[in-house]
Amino acid sequence: MNILVINCGSSSLKYQLINSETGDVLAKGLCERIGIDGSCLTHTPAGKDKVVIKEEMPDHNKAVKMVIDALTDENHGVVKSLSEIGAVGHRVVHGGEKFNKAVLIDEGVLKDIEELSSLAPLHNPANIIGINACKENMPTTPQVAVFDTAFHQTMPKKAYLYGLPYEYYEKYKVRRYGFHGTSHDFVSKHAAEMIGKDRKDLKIIVCHLGNGASVSAVKNGECVDTSMGLTPLEGLMMGTRSGDMDPAIMEYICKQENLTASEMNTVLNKKSGVYGLSNYTSSDFRDLGEAAEAGNTYAKDALDTYSYRVAKYIGAYMMAMGGVDIIAFTAGIGENNYQVRRGVCDYLEGMGIAIDDEKLKIRGEDLIVSKEGSKIQVMIVPTNEELAIAQQTLALL
């Protein structure tokens, strides 16, 4: 079955058309500047040159129509008609406690996603817009929601509750939800396959290290803890997000800098992380690596702090699970950045983990980088969230 995977933002729409049985990407693309002057669709059919279509997209309905036209175009299309697209799988960021797996979208599901928008005000409304646009343009095609938070719904209460008055959980559902769940699910399963074992028999730590980053503990096939919380701000220090910190810092800085809570939230999400700690050198880890090698102490401190935070979470999750069999690095930084992986692995080698440094330098491949005989297997496992969404959509249907 060919499945169209949609990841919709407020002014953008990313898509891939995937053969869910083979995993082949037939085409992929990006609609940019939706509702803004200068809209553009970049469409890349498999094995062909990308096509850039500059046409105004006043709304997401128009964007979806252009995607369909591109996919079925006689010159650069990859299917003859909509009948060759069996379903649409939508990435939805927040499923709260309502959704622990992919679901077929109906009016009730849409209402639930809308009600959860208070937990993800920048994402869920955009996801709803994408769903409605696809329903409008593909009214007979099944629409499926795949939630970033779903995989983490197996966490026990001791892992997801905060040390706050319990009434906040009861009234507002303030708790740890976690994100990147589709990636953590896909990577933990594939990591087990790489050593010929069933995930249900293993303890796995997945380090999803991108501009947004999170770590998860997967025990016997289920997530038992993860680093992101009510929002994607908690946990690891990231590209521009602060990650864990003393919450009293917010009030202190607000008073010192005369900031509102909203302005402080912007600082924590957009101006912090390695970007802020490096004295605004960059949020791109490639730039930070070059700057650190050139003697920029701010950049070096940022990278050292980042690697240390990742290692701390790995240590914590080893204790939470009573050991670990596999540690997997994934996402843009985890798959490609040797300096970060090396920095993290320096801490791990005190735990009986032996790393093959030459393998550790290889980028973006399924690869076991620990030496033979290492007590714990350390891997690079490229993630594929789009394929995971397609697979979950297929399994549901």
Side-chain angles (χ1 to χ4, degrees), residues 10 25 47 67-68 83 122 151 162 174 178 191 195 200 218 220 232 244 289 298 308 325 344 357-358:
S10 58
V25 177
V67 170
I68 293 169
S83 65
L122 298 179
F151 182 62
Y162 288 118
V174 174
I195 60 170
K200 293 180 180 179
V218 183
N220 302 334
D244 295 336
Y298 296 115
Y308 176 65
D325 300 300
V344 175
D357 197 61
E358 291 306 310

Side-chain angles (χ1 to χ4, degrees), residues 302-370:
L303 289 172
D304 288 346
T305 305
Y306 183 88
S307 297
Y308 176 65
R309 295 282 185 90
V310 175
K312 277 179 67 176
Y313 263 102
I314 291 172
Y317 287 167
M318 288 176 68
M319 297 305 102
M321 294 192 294
V324 64
D325 300 300
I326 296 173
I327 298 169
F329 290 101
T330 193
I333 297 162
E335 294 167 25
N336 297 298
N337 192 297
Y338 166 74
Q339 288 169 292
V340 168
R341 290 196 302 253
R342 182 68 266 173
V344 175
C345 287
D346 283 344
Y347 293 100
L348 303 182
E349 291 187 333
M351 302 176 184
I353 298 173
I355 300 295
D356 184 324
D357 197 61
E358 291 306 310
K359 287 184 177 179
L360 193 66
K361 293 176 182 177
I362 296 172
R363 301 174 54 189
E365 295 182 16
D366 283 343
L367 190 65
I368 297 173
V369 298
S370 49

Side-chain angles (χ1 to χ4, degrees), residues 106-139:
D106 56 21
E107 290 306 316
V109 169
L110 266 177
K111 183 179 178 182
D112 288 338
I113 294 172
E114 186 173 2
E115 289 176 353
L116 290 165
S117 291
S118 61
L119 295 174
L122 298 179
H123 297 95
N124 274 30
N127 301 152
I128 292 169
I129 289 170
I131 291 167
N132 284 328
C134 287
K135 287 178 64 180
E136 179 76 20
N137 287 275
M138 309 170 73

Side-chain angles (χ1 to χ4, degrees), residues 74-93:
E74 63 179 70
N75 294 316
H76 51 257
V78 293
V79 292
K80 292 180 180 179
S81 70
L82 276 181
S83 65
E84 295 183 45
I85 300 175
V88 181
H90 294 270
R91 174 185 180 239
V92 179
V93 168

